[in-house]
Coordinates of all heavy atoms in Angstrom, one line a residue:
T30 N -16.2 -52.0 -20.0 CA -17.0 -51.6 -18.8 C -18.5 -52.0 -19.1 O -18.9 -52.2 -20.3 CB -17.0 -50.1 -18.6 OG1 -17.5 -49.4 -19.8 CG2 -15.6 -49.6 -18.2
I68 N -30.2 -39.7 -19.0 CA -30.9 -40.7 -19.7 C -32.0 -41.3 -18.7 O -33.2 -41.5 -19.2 CB -30.0 -41.8 -20.2 CG1 -28.9 -41.2 -21.1 CG2 -30.8 -42.8 -20.9 CD1 -27.8 -42.2 -21.5
K76 N -21.5 -46.0 -8.5 CA -20.4 -46.7 -7.7 C -19.7 -47.6 -8.8 O -20.3 -48.0 -9.7 CB -20.9 -47.5 -6.6 CG -21.5 -46.6 -5.5 CD -21.2 -47.2 -4.1 CE -21.4 -46.3 -2.9 NZ -22.2 -45.1 -3.1
E118 N -8.7 -9.2 -34.0 CA -8.6 -7.8 -33.8 C -9.6 -7.3 -32.8 O -9.2 -6.6 -31.9 CB -8.7 -7.2 -35.1 CG -8.4 -5.7 -35.2 CD -6.9 -5.5 -35.4 OE1 -6.1 -6.4 -35.6 OE2 -6.5 -4.3 -35.4
S134 N -40.0 -7.7 -22.3 CA -40.0 -6.6 -21.3 C -38.8 -6.6 -20.5 O -38.4 -5.5 -20.0 CB -41.3 -6.6 -20.5 OG -41.3 -7.9 -19.9
L138 N -35.3 -2.1 -22.5 CA -34.6 -0.9 -22.3 C -33.1 -1.0 -22.8 O -32.6 -0.2 -23.6 CB -34.6 -0.4 -20.9 CG -33.9 0.9 -20.5 CD1 -34.5 2.0 -21.3 CD2 -33.9 1.1 -19.0
A141 N -33.0 -1.2 -26.6 CA -33.3 0.1 -27.2 C -32.0 0.9 -27.1 O -31.6 1.6 -28.0 CB -34.4 0.8 -26.6
G151 N -21.1 7.6 -29.5 CA -20.4 8.7 -28.9 C -21.3 9.9 -28.6 O -20.9 10.8 -27.9
L157 N -22.6 3.6 -22.1 CA -23.8 2.8 -21.9 C -23.4 1.7 -20.9 O -22.4 1.1 -21.1 CB -24.2 2.2 -23.2 CG -25.3 1.1 -23.1 CD1 -26.6 1.6 -22.4 CD2 -25.7 0.5 -24.4
Q172 N -21.7 -7.6 -27.6 CA -21.0 -8.1 -28.8 C -21.8 -7.5 -30.0 O -21.3 -7.2 -31.1 CB -20.9 -9.6 -28.8 CG -19.9 -10.1 -27.9 CD -18.7 -10.6 -28.6 OE1 -18.7 -11.0 -29.7 NE2 -17.6 -10.7 -27.9
K180 N -20.5 -3.3 -39.1 CA -21.4 -3.5 -40.2 C -21.7 -2.1 -40.9 O -21.6 -2.0 -42.1 CB -22.6 -4.3 -39.9 CG -23.3 -4.9 -41.1 CD -24.4 -5.8 -40.7 CE -25.8 -5.0 -40.6 NZ -26.9 -5.8 -40.2
V187 N -13.2 -1.0 -33.4 CA -14.0 -1.5 -32.3 C -13.1 -2.5 -31.5 O -12.4 -3.3 -32.1 CB -15.2 -2.3 -32.8 CG1 -16.0 -2.9 -31.7 CG2 -16.1 -1.2 -33.6
M190 N -13.6 -6.4 -24.9 CA -12.7 -7.0 -23.9 C -13.5 -7.4 -22.7 O -14.4 -6.7 -22.3 CB -11.7 -6.0 -23.4 CG -10.8 -5.3 -24.4 SD -9.2 -5.3 -23.7 CE -8.4 -6.5 -24.6
D198 N -3.7 -7.7 -19.9 CA -2.9 -6.9 -20.9 C -2.2 -5.8 -20.2 O -1.0 -5.5 -20.5 CB -3.8 -6.3 -22.0 CG -4.3 -7.5 -22.9 OD1 -3.9 -8.7 -22.7 OD2 -5.0 -7.1 -23.9
K217 N -6.9 5.1 -29.7 CA -7.3 5.1 -31.1 C -8.7 4.4 -31.3 O -9.2 4.4 -32.5 CB -6.3 4.3 -31.9 CG -5.0 5.0 -32.0 CD -4.0 4.2 -33.0 CE -2.6 4.2 -32.5 NZ -2.0 2.9 -32.8
I242 N -7.9 6.2 -19.7 CA -8.4 5.7 -21.0 C -9.8 6.2 -21.3 O -10.2 6.7 -22.3 CB -8.3 4.2 -21.2 CG1 -6.8 3.9 -21.2 CG2 -8.9 3.8 -22.5 CD1 -6.5 2.4 -21.1
E245 N -10.1 9.9 -21.9 CA -9.6 10.3 -23.2 C -10.6 9.9 -24.3 O -10.9 10.7 -25.2 CB -8.3 9.4 -23.4 CG -7.5 9.8 -24.7 CD -6.6 11.0 -24.5 OE1 -6.3 11.4 -23.3 OE2 -6.2 11.6 -25.5
N250 N -15.4 12.0 -28.0 CA -16.7 11.4 -28.5 C -16.6 10.0 -29.0 O -17.3 9.6 -29.9 CB -17.3 12.3 -29.5 CG -17.7 13.7 -29.0 OD1 -18.1 13.7 -27.8 ND2 -17.6 14.7 -29.8
D258 N -22.5 -7.3 -13.4 CA -23.5 -8.1 -12.8 C -24.4 -7.3 -11.9 O -25.4 -7.8 -11.3 CB -23.0 -9.3 -12.2 CG -22.1 -9.0 -11.0 OD1 -21.8 -7.9 -10.8 OD2 -21.7 -10.0 -10.3
E269 N -14.6 6.1 -6.4 CA -15.7 7.1 -6.6 C -15.7 7.8 -8.0 O -16.8 7.9 -8.6 CB -15.7 8.1 -5.5 CG -16.9 8.9 -5.2 CD -18.2 8.1 -5.3 OE1 -18.3 7.0 -4.6 OE2 -19.1 8.5 -6.1
R270 N -14.5 8.2 -8.4 CA -14.5 8.9 -9.6 C -14.9 8.1 -10.8 O -15.6 8.5 -11.8 CB -13.1 9.5 -9.9 CG -12.0 8.5 -9.9 CD -10.7 9.2 -10.1 NE -9.6 8.2 -10.1 CZ -8.4 8.5 -10.5 NH1 -8.0 9.7 -10.8 NH2 -7.5 7.5 -10.5
A293 N -40.1 -17.6 -26.9 CA -39.6 -17.1 -28.2 C -38.0 -17.3 -28.3 O -37.6 -17.6 -29.4 CB -39.8 -15.5 -28.2
I294 N -37.3 -17.3 -27.2 CA -35.9 -17.6 -27.4 C -35.6 -19.0 -27.7 O -34.8 -19.3 -28.6 CB -35.2 -17.2 -26.0 CG1 -35.1 -15.8 -25.8 CG2 -33.8 -17.8 -25.9 CD1 -34.6 -15.3 -24.4
V334 N -32.7 -32.3 -26.7 CA -32.5 -32.7 -28.1 C -31.5 -33.8 -28.1 O -31.6 -34.9 -28.8 CB -32.1 -31.5 -28.9 CG1 -31.7 -32.0 -30.3 CG2 -33.2 -30.5 -29.0
T359 N -37.3 -24.3 -9.1 CA -37.9 -23.0 -8.8 C -38.9 -23.0 -7.6 O -39.0 -22.0 -7.0 CB -38.7 -22.5 -10.1 OG1 -39.4 -23.6 -10.6 CG2 -37.7 -21.9 -11.1
T363 N -34.7 -24.5 0.6 CA -33.5 -25.2 1.1 C -32.9 -24.5 2.3 O -33.5 -23.4 2.7 CB -32.5 -25.6 0.0 OG1 -31.5 -26.4 0.7 CG2 -31.8 -24.3 -0.5
R388 N -6.9 -25.1 3.5 CA -6.7 -24.3 2.3 C -6.4 -25.2 1.1 O -5.9 -24.7 0.0 CB -5.5 -23.3 2.4 CG -5.9 -22.1 3.3 CD -4.6 -21.4 3.7 NE -5.0 -20.3 4.5 CZ -5.4 -19.1 4.1 NH1 -5.5 -18.9 2.8 NH2 -5.7 -18.1 4.9
M427 N -17.4 -12.8 -0.9 CA -17.7 -12.0 -2.1 C -16.8 -12.5 -3.2 O -17.2 -12.8 -4.3 CB -17.4 -10.6 -1.8 CG -18.3 -9.6 -2.4 SD -18.7 -8.3 -1.2 CE -17.3 -7.3 -1.3

Side-chain angles (χ1 to χ4, degrees):
T30 57
I68 303 168
K76 293 217 164 21
E118 188 85 5
S134 57
L138 180 62
L157 170 59
Q172 288 252 339
K180 198 173 88 182
V187 175
M190 302 223 105
D198 287 1
K217 290 184 218 143
I242 292 170
E245 187 84 18
N250 292 330
D258 63 350
E269 196 43 48
R270 55 181 184 170
I294 290 174
V334 175
T359 41
T363 185
R388 286 169 181 275
M427 220 138 73

